[in-house]
Each structure stands twice: as structure tokens, then as C-alpha cells.
Amino acid sequence: MKISVIGAGYVGLSSSLCLAEMGHEVIQIDIDLQKVDAINSGRSPLVEPGFDDMFCRHSGHRLKATADYDSISSTEVCIICVNTPSSQKGEPDLSRIESACRSIGYNLRNSHGFHLLVVKSTVPPGTTQCLIRPTVLETCGDNPNIGFAVNPEFLREGQALKDFMNPDRIVIGCWDPKAADMLVKVYNGIKSPIIRTDPMTAEMIKYASNAFLATKISFSNEIGNICKILGLDVYEVMRGVGLDHRISPYALDAGIGFGGSCLPKDLRSLIYLAENLGENPRLLKSVEEVNNLQSDMIIKLLEKRIGDLKEKRIAILGIAFKGGTDEVRDSRAIPVIKELLRRNATIASYDPLALNNMKIFIGNIDQLEYCSSAAEALQDADACLVLADCPIFADLDGEFDLMRSKIIIEGRRILEFSEKEGIYW
Ligand code: UGA
């Protein structure tokens, strides 16, 4: 099939690459010309395992990129993957999706064959009905040949391609069976249960899934607090819990909390939505509260070990929101860095992938060093905090001998090195 994908973020690029891999002809559309050029020359604009190989294989053949929405009319299916950020209060900013819908509608105003518009962006329940559909129909002159589907994506950064190709389920939210059948055809070849439902339910499934994952993580963190006082290892406890098939082991790793561009944002948006509906979502608010307290926990532990933090040199290993990515949005390292700076500590940070993004996000500050290796960050450090589970940290050992005092606190369990303390173990 001929498919256009709007938005070259993680979800958009993974979708484009996997659809090309499945044999579809894909046009990736993004207004960022640097991304477009990168894709057309076979380079990945984002750091993600497997992207480079896939771009080499498909760019210029089954995958082409452009900044121009014109090409939508030559495709049968158009998948919207633009991002939907939210304010600190959780109010979603739907301006990008609205503007994408105007461009899509305008370019479909003269199209004759049936065209399927698929919403993969995470949007609050009701957005397709109240914003996306009316905006497209208004700009395309009420073209009756357009069908709509909500098809949330459940992939994780760091394993995006694997997750896209092996989903636990495919959710298809449509009003019209013709649209749903066409989307089933797009996924032909992927083995997975398919859930057919209406668009608003599909939108809610995505919000509820991310909120539930966040809840599991905060639950483990709360159990971790209790375990720490009792001298128990929460990882051993949660292994025993997660093997119950009704619970599952995923999202039970305690630590410094959840970050990234999805779980915190979607949880905030769900709380905002509930409150606007007159509900008080007590559980969801607690999930957020527990998460926000995790950075205080590690600072308290650090203070307990080394006293006043003023002018102490603290090495931070891992500043991405999790290992294996360069993503720093809502990374739990950010509140930790801010608090250390507030207490006049000096920070020597290292991350194998995310240093540049953090430099852009936080900027150049005298007390904050961006180091080019773990050894450089650890040199003469009074303590070390491990805040992301970057796989290469597992091999560190002799590097810790460079520290002034070997006080190592893990916010994510990753070190093999034994003289360490965990936030919860
Ligand atoms: C998350 C969901 O897992 C995906 O299903 C969803 O598609 C995606 O959001 C999205 O909405 O697009 P992602 O943000 O890539 O995916 O990352 P996760 O692997 O879920 O991790 C999120 C955060 O929770 C990270 O900071 C991670 O370190 C933390 N985490 C994860 C834990 O603290 N403990 C765990 O057991 C698992």
C-alpha cells in the first residue's frame, strides 16, 4: 500500500521504517528539513537501535521523505504521528495536530479514491471526534471519501522496531468498518490480537495503559521505601511478585522513577482530564507524587553518606531518561541536577548518548561539567549517583578507584561493581 506518515519522531520514524520493511511504499513527511535530508540520504535523524541499518536499506527505495504535504493525495493511508506535548498542569497542546489536520484536509480536497486517516499520536479521549475529524472535513470541503481510525502505538524508545513488529495487541478505533478493514490490511503479516473498538475508547486505551505502567513503577518504588527501612532488596521482592502472571514482571523495577516524553506527560494529561470532568483521581495523583519524591530520596541518601553537599564534587552517570537512548525530556536526572546545583555542589556528568541533548536543555553552567567518559566524571568525585541504566555502566570497575571517596548510590540497578548502595536496595 502507499502510506504517508506525518511527523518524524520516534513513533513516526519507527512506523515508517517498519511499514517499509513490511513491503509498503512510505512517504515520511516532516516540516524539519534537516530530518528530511537525513532520511533521504540514508541517515537516521534519531538515536535508536536498528534505525541506521533500516534507513540504509529503505531510504530512496520504499521510504522517501519530504516537507511537502502535497504527496498525501498520492497515498491511500495517512498516519498522523506528530507530538502532543502538555503543560506542567497536564493541559495538552493540540496545536501541532490541528495544523497537520488542516494541511492534510487541504491536500485531500480533490482526491477521489477512499483515503484512510490514522491517528497514532497520543490524544485525549474525544480528540478525533471533536477536533481531528471536523478540522480535516472542514478543510477538505467535506470530501465523503475519507475514513478515520485511532490506532495508538505502544512501542518503547530503545526497542521501538522490535515493539512495532511484535505488538501485544493492535488497537483499531473506527466508526466505519471499511476504515477498520483497511487498517487491518496495513498490518497484514504482523501476528497479534486485534481489538476493534470506537475511536474514543481507543484513545482512552492508550492513556490508561501508560497510566497503569506508571502506577506499577510508583507501586514498586513505594514498596522499595519500605524494603529499604527493613533492609530488604526490593528487586528480589518484586521478582517474586512479578512472576504472578496476573501481574507480569514488566514495569516493576524500582529506582529513581519514570521519565521520558510519554509516561509523565500522559499521566499528567489524564489527571487534568479527570479533574476537568469533576473527578478527583486520587490514585493517579499519588502515582505522580511518589514519582516526584524519588529525586529527593536519592539526595537525602547522598546527604546521609557525605553530609553537607556544598562544594562537593558529585559524579552523575546517566542523564538520559533511561539507558540506550539520548532522550532527556522529563529525565529524572533533571530534578537531581537542579537540587545539587541549588545546594552548591559541583557536578561532573557523563552519559554515552545524551550529553548533547542535556547541554541544549540545561545549557552551560559553571558548576556542571559534561565529561567525555565515566572515568573523567569519577576522577576525584566525593560521591557518584547512577541515574540511568546505560548498559556500558555494567562493565565499570577500576574507574571507581579514581574517586576521592568511593560512595556510589544507584538510582537504577545496573552496576556489577559490588561496593555500592541502591536507592532501594
Ligand atoms: C512508554 C511505554 O512503555 C510505551 O508502551 C508507550 O508506547 C510509550 O511510553 C509512549 O507512550 O509512546 P517509553 O517512555 O519509551 O515507553 O519507556 P519505558 O521503557 O516505559 O520507560 C519509561 C520510564 O519508566 C523510564 O524512565 C524508565 O527508566 C522507567 N521505568 C521503566 C522504571 O523506573 N521501572 C521499570 O520497571 C520500567
Side-chain angles (χ1 to χ4, degrees):
M1 294 164 91
K2 287 190 162 185
I3 301 175
S4 44
V5 176
I6 318 277
Y10 280 94
V11 172
L13 288 177
S14 310
S15 306
S16 292
L17 287 169
C18 292
L19 291 168
E21 184 81 3
M22 289 159 72
H24 298 296
E25 245 179 76
V26 182
I27 300 175
Q28 172 73 64
I29 299 174
D30 198 288
I31 48 172
D32 182 336
L33 286 171
Q34 275 184 346
K35 281 188 173 177
V36 168
D37 284 348
I39 296 167
N40 285 334
S41 49
R43 285 179 289 116
S44 171
L46 292 179
V47 174
E48 178 67 28
F51 269 27
D52 287 334
D53 283 354
M54 290 270 264
F55 275 111
C56 258
R57 209 157 52 242
H58 297 300
S59 290
H61 306 288
R62 284 207 290 266
L63 173 62
K64 294 188 177 119
T66 172
D68 204 333
Y69 276 72
D70 277 9
S71 35
I72 290 176
S73 56
S74 67
T75 61
E76 299 148 82
V77 179
C78 171
I79 306 182
I80 305 180
C81 300
V82 298
N83 64 343
T84 48
S86 75
S87 70
Q88 267 316 312
K89 273 166 56 198
E91 186 176 8
D93 173 2
L94 300 172
S95 56
R96 283 167 215 179
I97 214 163
E98 188 176 349
S99 119
C101 288
R102 289 196 186 286
S103 306
I104 294 165
Y106 181 77
N107 283 288
L108 290 179
R109 68 200 183 287
N110 296 322
S111 83
H112 298 297
F114 185 72
H115 195 97
L116 176 63
L117 194 54
V118 181
V119 182
K120 238 186 209 307
S121 300
T122 301
V123 291
T127 305
T128 302
Q129 182 173 344
C130 300
L131 177 76
I132 294 175
R133 190 170 180 272
T135 308
V136 172
L137 291 180
E138 186 195 311
T139 38
C140 75
D142 279 325
N143 183 342
N145 291 319
I146 301 179
F148 293 84
V150 174
N151 173 223
E153 183 51 60
F154 301 99
L155 59 80
R156 288 161 292 173
E157 286 183 31
Q159 23 208 348
L161 298 176
K162 200 172 119 243
D163 283 352
F164 187 99
M165 290 301 215
N166 304 283
D168 290 326
R169 75 296 205 191
I170 294 172
V171 175
I172 294 182
C174 287
W175 293 288
D176 165 15
K178 185 174 169 193
D181 291 345
M182 192 157 170
L183 191 50
V184 169
K185 228 172 101 191
V186 169
Y187 286 111
N188 192 11
I190 290 193
K191 285 195 181 70
S192 140
I194 290 183
I195 297 180
R196 287 179 183 240
T197 182
D198 62 274
M200 198 159 160
T201 305
E203 289 163 340
M204 191 61 173
I205 288 174
K206 171 68 189 212
Y207 262 28
S209 298
N210 274 0
F212 190 68
L213 291 171
T215 305
K216 285 183 81 177
I217 297 167
S218 279
F219 177 84
S220 288
N221 288 340
E222 190 138 289
I223 297 293
N225 283 334
I226 304 167
C227 285
K228 182 84 181 172
I229 301 167
L230 293 175
L232 299 176
D233 180 345
V234 65
Y235 269 60
E236 217 172 310
V237 172
M238 295 320 280
R239 195 166 44 146
V241 172
L243 285 176
D244 185 324
H245 74 277
R246 295 168 302 174
I247 297 173
S248 111
Y250 185 73
L252 290 186
D253 289 349
I256 187 135
F258 54 83
S261 60
C262 305
L263 297 193
K265 165 184 77 86
D266 294 348
L267 180 66
R268 274 197 302 269
S269 299
L270 191 53
I271 293 172
Y272 179 86
L273 171 77
E275 286 182 333
N276 270 348
L277 293 170
E279 264 297 307
N280 180 11
R282 294 174 186 81
L283 175 64
L284 298 180
K285 285 195 210 160
S286 305
V287 169
E288 192 178 34
E289 193 190 346
V290 170
N291 199 50
N292 290 339
L293 288 173
Q294 299 323 296
S295 43
D296 296 352
M297 295 284 303
I298 207 160
I299 299 277
K300 273 194 198 134
L301 204 53
L302 178 65
E303 218 168 17
K304 203 168 132 200
R305 299 289 301 276
I306 65 168
D308 190 357
L309 302 179
K310 191 167 175 211
E311 285 168 18
K312 295 274 168 54
R313 179 178 164 92
I314 312 296
I316 290 191
L317 299 185
I319 53 184
F321 85 103
K322 65 176 174 182
T325 88
D326 65 346
E327 177 72 83
V328 299
R329 276 180 287 175
D330 254 318
S331 164
R332 301 318 296 154
I334 295 168
V336 175
I337 290 174
K338 286 192 173 157
E339 187 56 23
L340 290 174
L341 291 175
R342 203 182 65 77
R343 290 169 186 240
N344 290 319
T346 306
I347 302 168
S349 66
Y350 171 68
D351 189 291
L353 299 171
L355 283 181
N356 280 341
N357 283 346
M358 194 53 107
K359 270 186 210 165
I360 295 167
F361 189 82
I362 289 204
N364 286 322
I365 298 172
D366 285 348
Q367 284 161 267
L368 173 58
E369 243 176 79
Y370 297 102
C371 302
S372 53
S373 68
E376 192 186 328
L378 291 166
Q379 181 77 49
D380 296 329
D382 293 293
C384 165
L385 302 180
V386 181
L387 302 183
D389 47 357
C390 307
I392 61 161
F393 296 161
D395 301 328
L396 296 175
D397 193 342
E399 290 84 348
F400 292 107
D401 294 335
L402 298 165
M403 297 175 71
R404 189 172 299 143
S405 55
K406 255 188 188 176
I407 294 177
I408 302 151
I409 303 175
E410 278 186 296
R412 307 266 183 215
R413 183 175 279 194
I414 181 71
L415 302 181
E416 296 290 334
F417 177 76
S418 56
E419 296 161 56
K420 57 178 182 182
E421 177 175 5
I423 182 169
Y424 292 137
W425 52 88

